[in-house]
Amino acid sequence: MSKEESSPKKNVKKEAKSFLLQSPKGMHDILPQVMPLWDKVREEARQIADFYGFAKIETPILEAEELFHRGTGETTDIVEKEMYIVKTKGGDRLALRPEFTPSMIRAYLQHGMHRLPQPQRFYSTGPVFRHERPQAGRYRQHHQINFEIIGGESNPVSDAQVIIVFYRLMEELKLKPLLVQINSIGCRICRPNYRKKLVEYYRSQPVCRDCERRLKINPLRLLDCKKEKCEEFKAGAPSILDSVCSLCRNHLKQVLEFLEEVNLPYTVNHLLVRGLDYYSRTVFEIFLEEKDLALAGGGRYDYLAEVIGGRPTTAVGGAMGIERVVEIIKETQPNALKERIKPKIFLVHIGDLAKKKSLSLTEEFRQNNIPVINVLGKDSLSQQLEAADRMNSPLALILGQREVYENSIIIRDMDSGAQESVPLRNIIEEVKRRLKG
Ligand code: ATP
Ligand code: MG
């Protein structure tokens, strides 16, 4: 036995140390190498949001726990098993948001936005937290892009617009082939009818443990079970579309017609119910063909405002998971990262005097809006040139001791290796000329 193994104290110390060198389980760093892809996704989202008139909104990451208990729903996996709760010093219980929608409607109600022209369109992006079992595409802190249309009539064109917005965003990100699945889960009037039929059907089936509970507390979620054993029962379940009332049927019909108008392909999936309690009528999910995990999902939630104590407010929205999208871009578009990194002109210095001078020169380039990178902290010439090569710089500017005394600078074409000495006072103009050419 080694000394270390025989000393429990040392082991504890070692464990504590390695624990400190790990991000929390299921939570990850987004490193500079992949940040350009993250920026791309968020930038495309911003542009799409601008085009379709969605205004950016940010809400606190912490909200009253009760908002999700009531809003997201007591019987959902998110609330039942996955919430992170923080107790404040004052004794309040706050939750790290597991999703955006309840916060969006809370903010709309709190700020009296029903007095503004209706409907209001919002988008938001940021982290959400769910204590799930970490696995591929499933994190405990993940990031979403959210679009919501709140207020006005319960208008099917808004359902279609939310789906169009997510679809166009994914198209812009070159994710294909995309599959849109859509369903109606009815309203307060027709859903109880369907629930009864579903319970009758399921009562005689030997379902899994979870589904036994669902049968009692939230039968619609039976259709959401992912266990192999329950798949076969799902296939034979009565279709909700045979039970919805004429208003809900008509609502779905119109949503589908609007999607057809813009040639957006979809499949109606009568088994799609989604994991959240607040939906009414439309629910949808968007997948990439041959991938099991949804990239985005959402639906209409006309009752949520009332459930959290606000005035009746119609709304529809959805969320896209950035991690899942970035993973697919990395997998299927190997050059996407390279395209995002814009090459800069490299400023190389040799010697202390040149290092000092290179600082003021960098500032001069910035004032002239010329992208220059000055690798401070690396004094060797070969190391600096290597870095310039790695970064695909078109030009390197070399400032040595002699150049500083002569008030000149060497300009090097990184492709051909050709070098030329230029008076320092002309360098901005010279670089501009070469960048144009
Ligand atoms: P799933 O069925 O995959 O658990 P969900 O229905 O719980 O998804 P939503 O609440 O609709 O997911 O969240 C919107 C999107 O956020 C999902 O379509 C997915 O892209 C992403 N997402 C959800 N949970 C996670 C997670 N744990 N890790 C990474 N991304 C996630
Ligand atoms: Mg989930």
Side-chain angles (χ1 to χ4, degrees), residues 130 132 137-139 142 144 274 293-297 319 321 324:
R130 298 180 187 180
E132 299 199 69
R138 206 171 279 291
Y139 299 90
H142 75 274
Q144 295 189 344
R274 313 251 317 120
L293 291 175
L295 296 182
R324 292 185 190 174

Side-chain angles (χ1 to χ4, degrees), residues 182-352:
I182 186 164
N183 192 22
S184 173
I185 58 164
C187 63
R188 279 173 178 159
I189 298 166
C190 58
R191 199 183 309 156
N193 234 342
Y194 175 67
R195 203 178 286 138
K196 242 191 250 152
K197 278 195 202 165
L198 197 64
V199 170
E200 262 164 40
Y201 166 79
Y202 265 101
R203 224 194 312 261
S204 55
Q205 311 289 4
V207 287
C208 73
R209 263 260 186 79
D210 276 345
C211 281
E212 278 172 16
R213 280 191 58 231
R214 289 180 181 131
L215 194 54
K216 290 195 192 103
I217 57 171
N218 192 350
L220 232 61
R221 301 278 331 282
L222 286 160
L223 300 178
D224 209 23
C225 185
K226 308 273 186 320
K227 296 229 173 67
E228 218 174 286
K229 180 180 172 191
C230 296
E231 288 285 340
E232 56 182 296
F233 310 134
K234 262 170 33 180
S239 165
I240 191 163
L241 294 173
D242 295 333
S243 300
V244 294
C245 62
S246 59
L247 286 177
C248 289
R249 188 185 310 279
N250 195 33
H251 189 98
L252 177 64
K253 185 167 160 270
Q254 288 189 60
V255 176
L256 301 181
E257 280 169 8
F258 292 132
L259 296 180
E260 283 159 25
E261 176 63 25
V262 295
N263 294 322
L264 199 147
Y266 63 81
T267 323
V268 174
N269 173 4
H270 73 91
L271 294 175
L272 182 68
V273 288
R274 313 251 317 120
L276 307 173
D277 275 358
Y278 48 62
Y279 288 118
S280 54
R281 295 187 170 163
T282 314
V283 288
F284 72 89
E285 275 184 351
I286 306 181
F287 294 83
L288 198 68
E289 218 172 81
E290 288 177 13
K291 298 262 180 194
D292 287 341
L293 291 175
L295 296 182
R300 177 161 282 285
Y301 52 97
D302 288 347
Y303 308 134
L304 178 55
E306 282 168 80
V307 169
I308 63 167
R311 53 177 23 240
T313 308
T314 71
V316 55
M320 181 183 93
I322 305 185
E323 276 79 359
R324 292 185 190 174
V325 165
V326 165
E327 282 306 317
I328 288 173
I329 298 178
K330 276 203 289 193
E331 234 176 85
T332 57
Q333 304 168 41
N335 287 326
L337 253 177
K338 278 193 210 140
E339 286 160 19
R340 295 289 302 170
I341 300 168
K342 295 218 172 66
K344 292 183 174 182
I345 294 164
F346 233 77
L347 180 52
V348 173
H349 58 265
I350 312 156
D352 287 345

Side-chain angles (χ1 to χ4, degrees), residues 62-65 68 84-88 92-96:
L62 292 167
E63 294 272 4
E65 179 188 15
F68 301 107
Y84 283 86
I85 305 299
V86 174
K87 288 193 195 101
T88 68
D92 293 331
R93 285 170 64 90
L94 301 177
L96 272 77

